[in-house]
mmCIF file with all atom_site columns, all heavy atoms in Angstrom:
data_model
loop_
_atom_site.group_PDB
_atom_site.id
_atom_site.type_symbol
_atom_site.label_atom_id
_atom_site.label_alt_id
_atom_site.label_comp_id
_atom_site.label_asym_id
_atom_site.label_entity_id
_atom_site.label_seq_id
_atom_site.pdbx_PDB_ins_code
_atom_site.Cartn_x
_atom_site.Cartn_y
_atom_site.Cartn_z
_atom_site.occupancy
_atom_site.B_iso_or_equiv
_atom_site.pdbx_formal_charge
_atom_site.auth_seq_id
_atom_site.auth_comp_id
_atom_site.auth_asym_id
_atom_site.auth_atom_id
_atom_site.pdbx_PDB_model_num
ATOM 1   N N   . GLU A 1 93  ? 1.397  0.333   -1.504 1.00 0.00 ? 93  GLU A N   1
ATOM 2   C CA  . GLU A 1 93  ? 2.255  1.419   -0.964 1.00 0.00 ? 93  GLU A CA  1
ATOM 3   C C   . GLU A 1 93  ? 1.375  2.586   -0.575 1.00 0.00 ? 93  GLU A C   1
ATOM 4   O O   . GLU A 1 93  ? 0.590  2.961   -1.426 1.00 0.00 ? 93  GLU A O   1
ATOM 5   C CB  . GLU A 1 93  ? 3.338  1.785   -1.920 1.00 0.00 ? 93  GLU A CB  1
ATOM 6   C CG  . GLU A 1 93  ? 4.292  2.842   -1.437 1.00 0.00 ? 93  GLU A CG  1
ATOM 7   C CD  . GLU A 1 93  ? 5.260  3.335   -2.474 1.00 0.00 ? 93  GLU A CD  1
ATOM 8   O OE1 . GLU A 1 93  ? 5.010  3.280   -3.657 1.00 0.00 ? 93  GLU A OE1 1
ATOM 9   O OE2 . GLU A 1 93  ? 6.318  3.842   -2.028 1.00 0.00 ? 93  GLU A OE2 1
ATOM 10  N N   . LEU A 1 94  ? 1.534  3.056   0.664  1.00 0.00 ? 94  LEU A N   1
ATOM 11  C CA  . LEU A 1 94  ? 0.667  4.069   1.127  1.00 0.00 ? 94  LEU A CA  1
ATOM 12  C C   . LEU A 1 94  ? 0.841  5.404   0.433  1.00 0.00 ? 94  LEU A C   1
ATOM 13  O O   . LEU A 1 94  ? -0.106 6.137   0.259  1.00 0.00 ? 94  LEU A O   1
ATOM 14  C CB  . LEU A 1 94  ? 0.848  4.249   2.659  1.00 0.00 ? 94  LEU A CB  1
ATOM 15  C CG  . LEU A 1 94  ? -0.308 4.839   3.407  1.00 0.00 ? 94  LEU A CG  1
ATOM 16  C CD1 . LEU A 1 94  ? -1.591 4.017   3.254  1.00 0.00 ? 94  LEU A CD1 1
ATOM 17  C CD2 . LEU A 1 94  ? 0.018  5.013   4.852  1.00 0.00 ? 94  LEU A CD2 1
ATOM 18  N N   . SER A 1 95  ? 2.083  5.753   0.109  1.00 0.00 ? 95  SER A N   1
ATOM 19  C CA  . SER A 1 95  ? 2.328  7.130   -0.497 1.00 0.00 ? 95  SER A CA  1
ATOM 20  C C   . SER A 1 95  ? 1.809  7.238   -1.885 1.00 0.00 ? 95  SER A C   1
ATOM 21  O O   . SER A 1 95  ? 1.377  8.334   -2.323 1.00 0.00 ? 95  SER A O   1
ATOM 22  C CB  . SER A 1 95  ? 3.780  7.482   -0.437 1.00 0.00 ? 95  SER A CB  1
ATOM 23  O OG  . SER A 1 95  ? 4.563  6.628   -1.172 1.00 0.00 ? 95  SER A OG  1
ATOM 24  N N   . SER A 1 96  ? 1.744  6.200   -2.634 1.00 0.00 ? 96  SER A N   1
ATOM 25  C CA  . SER A 1 96  ? 1.355  6.297   -4.057 1.00 0.00 ? 96  SER A CA  1
ATOM 26  C C   . SER A 1 96  ? -0.052 5.580   -4.364 1.00 0.00 ? 96  SER A C   1
ATOM 27  O O   . SER A 1 96  ? -0.646 5.842   -5.323 1.00 0.00 ? 96  SER A O   1
ATOM 28  C CB  . SER A 1 96  ? 2.361  5.638   -4.986 1.00 0.00 ? 96  SER A CB  1
ATOM 29  O OG  . SER A 1 96  ? 2.482  4.287   -4.800 1.00 0.00 ? 96  SER A OG  1
ATOM 30  N N   . GLY A 1 97  ? -0.431 4.657   -3.407 1.00 0.00 ? 97  GLY A N   1
ATOM 31  C CA  . GLY A 1 97  ? -1.642 3.883   -3.710 1.00 0.00 ? 97  GLY A CA  1
ATOM 32  C C   . GLY A 1 97  ? -1.310 2.751   -4.738 1.00 0.00 ? 97  GLY A C   1
ATOM 33  O O   . GLY A 1 97  ? -2.295 2.123   -5.155 1.00 0.00 ? 97  GLY A O   1
ATOM 34  N N   . SER A 1 98  ? -0.122 2.496   -4.956 1.00 0.00 ? 98  SER A N   1
ATOM 35  C CA  . SER A 1 98  ? 0.203  1.469   -5.987 1.00 0.00 ? 98  SER A CA  1
ATOM 36  C C   . SER A 1 98  ? 0.257  0.123   -5.375 1.00 0.00 ? 98  SER A C   1
ATOM 37  O O   . SER A 1 98  ? 0.881  -0.074  -4.309 1.00 0.00 ? 98  SER A O   1
ATOM 38  C CB  . SER A 1 98  ? 1.615  1.760   -6.672 1.00 0.00 ? 98  SER A CB  1
ATOM 39  O OG  . SER A 1 98  ? 1.532  2.967   -7.307 1.00 0.00 ? 98  SER A OG  1
ATOM 40  N N   . CYS A 1 99  ? -0.314 -0.880  -5.977 1.00 0.00 ? 99  CYS A N   1
ATOM 41  C CA  . CYS A 1 99  ? -0.289 -2.266  -5.472 1.00 0.00 ? 99  CYS A CA  1
ATOM 42  C C   . CYS A 1 99  ? 1.082  -2.881  -5.916 1.00 0.00 ? 99  CYS A C   1
ATOM 43  O O   . CYS A 1 99  ? 1.255  -2.955  -7.146 1.00 0.00 ? 99  CYS A O   1
ATOM 44  C CB  . CYS A 1 99  ? -1.457 -3.118  -5.922 1.00 0.00 ? 99  CYS A CB  1
ATOM 45  S SG  . CYS A 1 99  ? -1.452 -4.785  -5.266 1.00 0.00 ? 99  CYS A SG  1
ATOM 46  N N   . LEU A 1 100 ? 1.908  -3.228  -4.931 1.00 0.00 ? 100 LEU A N   1
ATOM 47  C CA  . LEU A 1 100 ? 3.252  -3.798  -5.344 1.00 0.00 ? 100 LEU A CA  1
ATOM 48  C C   . LEU A 1 100 ? 3.246  -5.238  -5.195 1.00 0.00 ? 100 LEU A C   1
ATOM 49  O O   . LEU A 1 100 ? 4.071  -5.948  -5.898 1.00 0.00 ? 100 LEU A O   1
ATOM 50  C CB  . LEU A 1 100 ? 4.286  -3.180  -4.493 1.00 0.00 ? 100 LEU A CB  1
ATOM 51  C CG  . LEU A 1 100 ? 4.479  -1.685  -4.495 1.00 0.00 ? 100 LEU A CG  1
ATOM 52  C CD1 . LEU A 1 100 ? 5.519  -1.204  -3.542 1.00 0.00 ? 100 LEU A CD1 1
ATOM 53  C CD2 . LEU A 1 100 ? 4.682  -1.192  -5.976 1.00 0.00 ? 100 LEU A CD2 1
ATOM 54  N N   . ILE A 1 101 ? 2.492  -5.811  -4.346 1.00 0.00 ? 101 ILE A N   1
ATOM 55  C CA  . ILE A 1 101 ? 2.521  -7.298  -4.066 1.00 0.00 ? 101 ILE A CA  1
ATOM 56  C C   . ILE A 1 101 ? 1.033  -7.736  -4.010 1.00 0.00 ? 101 ILE A C   1
ATOM 57  O O   . ILE A 1 101 ? 0.252  -7.169  -3.186 1.00 0.00 ? 101 ILE A O   1
ATOM 58  C CB  . ILE A 1 101 ? 3.241  -7.691  -2.820 1.00 0.00 ? 101 ILE A CB  1
ATOM 59  C CG1 . ILE A 1 101 ? 4.699  -7.260  -2.948 1.00 0.00 ? 101 ILE A CG1 1
ATOM 60  C CG2 . ILE A 1 101 ? 3.130  -9.193  -2.522 1.00 0.00 ? 101 ILE A CG2 1
ATOM 61  C CD1 . ILE A 1 101 ? 5.478  -7.367  -1.627 1.00 0.00 ? 101 ILE A CD1 1
ATOM 62  N N   . LYS A 1 102 ? 0.724  -8.838  -4.696 1.00 0.00 ? 102 LYS A N   1
ATOM 63  C CA  . LYS A 1 102 ? -0.631 -9.445  -4.647 1.00 0.00 ? 102 LYS A CA  1
ATOM 64  C C   . LYS A 1 102 ? -0.472 -10.851 -5.005 1.00 0.00 ? 102 LYS A C   1
ATOM 65  O O   . LYS A 1 102 ? 0.011  -11.181 -6.063 1.00 0.00 ? 102 LYS A O   1
ATOM 66  C CB  . LYS A 1 102 ? -1.686 -8.700  -5.575 1.00 0.00 ? 102 LYS A CB  1
ATOM 67  C CG  . LYS A 1 102 ? -3.053 -9.094  -5.330 1.00 0.00 ? 102 LYS A CG  1
ATOM 68  C CD  . LYS A 1 102 ? -3.927 -8.103  -6.265 1.00 0.00 ? 102 LYS A CD  1
ATOM 69  C CE  . LYS A 1 102 ? -5.415 -8.357  -6.013 1.00 0.00 ? 102 LYS A CE  1
ATOM 70  N NZ  . LYS A 1 102 ? -6.187 -7.365  -6.826 1.00 0.00 ? 102 LYS A NZ  1
ATOM 71  N N   . TYR A 1 103 ? -1.022 -11.784 -4.173 1.00 0.00 ? 103 TYR A N   1
ATOM 72  C CA  . TYR A 1 103 ? -1.071 -13.151 -4.494 1.00 0.00 ? 103 TYR A CA  1
ATOM 73  C C   . TYR A 1 103 ? -2.176 -13.898 -3.812 1.00 0.00 ? 103 TYR A C   1
ATOM 74  O O   . TYR A 1 103 ? -2.821 -13.411 -2.860 1.00 0.00 ? 103 TYR A O   1
ATOM 75  C CB  . TYR A 1 103 ? 0.381  -13.853 -4.044 1.00 0.00 ? 103 TYR A CB  1
ATOM 76  C CG  . TYR A 1 103 ? 0.651  -13.608 -2.535 1.00 0.00 ? 103 TYR A CG  1
ATOM 77  C CD1 . TYR A 1 103 ? 0.211  -14.503 -1.637 1.00 0.00 ? 103 TYR A CD1 1
ATOM 78  C CD2 . TYR A 1 103 ? 1.505  -12.563 -2.145 1.00 0.00 ? 103 TYR A CD2 1
ATOM 79  C CE1 . TYR A 1 103 ? 0.513  -14.332 -0.260 1.00 0.00 ? 103 TYR A CE1 1
ATOM 80  C CE2 . TYR A 1 103 ? 1.794  -12.364 -0.789 1.00 0.00 ? 103 TYR A CE2 1
ATOM 81  C CZ  . TYR A 1 103 ? 1.321  -13.306 0.177  1.00 0.00 ? 103 TYR A CZ  1
ATOM 82  O OH  . TYR A 1 103 ? 1.600  -13.127 1.448  1.00 0.00 ? 103 TYR A OH  1
ATOM 83  N N   . LYS A 1 104 ? -2.420 -15.096 -4.304 1.00 0.00 ? 104 LYS A N   1
ATOM 84  C CA  . LYS A 1 104 ? -3.422 -15.972 -3.772 1.00 0.00 ? 104 LYS A CA  1
ATOM 85  C C   . LYS A 1 104 ? -2.779 -17.202 -3.200 1.00 0.00 ? 104 LYS A C   1
ATOM 86  O O   . LYS A 1 104 ? -1.915 -17.783 -3.865 1.00 0.00 ? 104 LYS A O   1
ATOM 87  C CB  . LYS A 1 104 ? -4.378 -16.433 -4.911 1.00 0.00 ? 104 LYS A CB  1
ATOM 88  C CG  . LYS A 1 104 ? -5.231 -15.355 -5.498 1.00 0.00 ? 104 LYS A CG  1
ATOM 89  C CD  . LYS A 1 104 ? -6.113 -15.973 -6.555 1.00 0.00 ? 104 LYS A CD  1
ATOM 90  C CE  . LYS A 1 104 ? -6.896 -14.890 -7.290 1.00 0.00 ? 104 LYS A CE  1
ATOM 91  N NZ  . LYS A 1 104 ? -7.741 -15.401 -8.400 1.00 0.00 ? 104 LYS A NZ  1
ATOM 92  N N   . ASP A 1 105 ? -3.108 -17.546 -1.961 1.00 0.00 ? 105 ASP A N   1
ATOM 93  C CA  . ASP A 1 105 ? -2.646 -18.863 -1.366 1.00 0.00 ? 105 ASP A CA  1
ATOM 94  C C   . ASP A 1 105 ? -3.858 -19.758 -1.338 1.00 0.00 ? 105 ASP A C   1
ATOM 95  O O   . ASP A 1 105 ? -4.855 -19.408 -0.824 1.00 0.00 ? 105 ASP A O   1
ATOM 96  C CB  . ASP A 1 105 ? -2.130 -18.631 0.059  1.00 0.00 ? 105 ASP A CB  1
ATOM 97  C CG  . ASP A 1 105 ? -0.711 -18.091 0.073  1.00 0.00 ? 105 ASP A CG  1
ATOM 98  O OD1 . ASP A 1 105 ? 0.074  -18.447 -0.844 1.00 0.00 ? 105 ASP A OD1 1
ATOM 99  O OD2 . ASP A 1 105 ? -0.362 -17.353 0.962  1.00 0.00 ? 105 ASP A OD2 1
ATOM 100 N N   . TYR A 1 106 ? -3.710 -20.954 -1.922 1.00 0.00 ? 106 TYR A N   1
ATOM 101 C CA  . TYR A 1 106 ? -4.764 -21.900 -1.923 1.00 0.00 ? 106 TYR A CA  1
ATOM 102 C C   . TYR A 1 106 ? -4.554 -22.922 -0.756 1.00 0.00 ? 106 TYR A C   1
ATOM 103 O O   . TYR A 1 106 ? -3.480 -23.499 -0.638 1.00 0.00 ? 106 TYR A O   1
ATOM 104 C CB  . TYR A 1 106 ? -4.746 -22.691 -3.241 1.00 0.00 ? 106 TYR A CB  1
ATOM 105 C CG  . TYR A 1 106 ? -5.103 -21.769 -4.381 1.00 0.00 ? 106 TYR A CG  1
ATOM 106 C CD1 . TYR A 1 106 ? -4.153 -21.094 -5.191 1.00 0.00 ? 106 TYR A CD1 1
ATOM 107 C CD2 . TYR A 1 106 ? -6.467 -21.542 -4.742 1.00 0.00 ? 106 TYR A CD2 1
ATOM 108 C CE1 . TYR A 1 106 ? -4.475 -20.275 -6.188 1.00 0.00 ? 106 TYR A CE1 1
ATOM 109 C CE2 . TYR A 1 106 ? -6.767 -20.729 -5.795 1.00 0.00 ? 106 TYR A CE2 1
ATOM 110 C CZ  . TYR A 1 106 ? -5.774 -20.060 -6.507 1.00 0.00 ? 106 TYR A CZ  1
ATOM 111 O OH  . TYR A 1 106 ? -6.152 -19.177 -7.587 1.00 0.00 ? 106 TYR A OH  1
ATOM 112 N N   . GLU A 1 107 ? -5.541 -23.131 0.057  1.00 0.00 ? 107 GLU A N   1
ATOM 113 C CA  . GLU A 1 107 ? -5.490 -24.027 1.178  1.00 0.00 ? 107 GLU A CA  1
ATOM 114 C C   . GLU A 1 107 ? -5.198 -25.485 0.770  1.00 0.00 ? 107 GLU A C   1
ATOM 115 O O   . GLU A 1 107 ? -4.277 -26.119 1.299  1.00 0.00 ? 107 GLU A O   1
ATOM 116 C CB  . GLU A 1 107 ? -6.716 -23.880 2.104  1.00 0.00 ? 107 GLU A CB  1
ATOM 117 C CG  . GLU A 1 107 ? -6.829 -22.674 2.914  1.00 0.00 ? 107 GLU A CG  1
ATOM 118 C CD  . GLU A 1 107 ? -8.069 -22.667 3.762  1.00 0.00 ? 107 GLU A CD  1
ATOM 119 O OE1 . GLU A 1 107 ? -8.767 -23.631 3.803  1.00 0.00 ? 107 GLU A OE1 1
ATOM 120 O OE2 . GLU A 1 107 ? -8.191 -21.665 4.513  1.00 0.00 ? 107 GLU A OE2 1
ATOM 121 N N   . ASP A 1 108 ? -6.032 -25.991 -0.105 1.00 0.00 ? 108 ASP A N   1
ATOM 122 C CA  . ASP A 1 108 ? -5.933 -27.482 -0.379 1.00 0.00 ? 108 ASP A CA  1
ATOM 123 C C   . ASP A 1 108 ? -4.710 -27.727 -1.220 1.00 0.00 ? 108 ASP A C   1
ATOM 124 O O   . ASP A 1 108 ? -4.015 -28.695 -1.015 1.00 0.00 ? 108 ASP A O   1
ATOM 125 C CB  . ASP A 1 108 ? -7.178 -27.824 -1.170 1.00 0.00 ? 108 ASP A CB  1
ATOM 126 C CG  . ASP A 1 108 ? -8.462 -27.765 -0.313 1.00 0.00 ? 108 ASP A CG  1
ATOM 127 O OD1 . ASP A 1 108 ? -8.268 -27.722 0.879  1.00 0.00 ? 108 ASP A OD1 1
ATOM 128 O OD2 . ASP A 1 108 ? -9.543 -27.685 -0.859 1.00 0.00 ? 108 ASP A OD2 1
#
Side-chain angles (χ1 to χ4, degrees):
E93 184 185 23
L94 202 61
S95 63
S96 67
S98 299
C99 183
L100 300 181
I101 299 171
K102 188 174 188 177
Y103 57 85
K104 295 178 184 180
D105 279 329
Y106 295 92
E107 285 184 2
D108 296 339

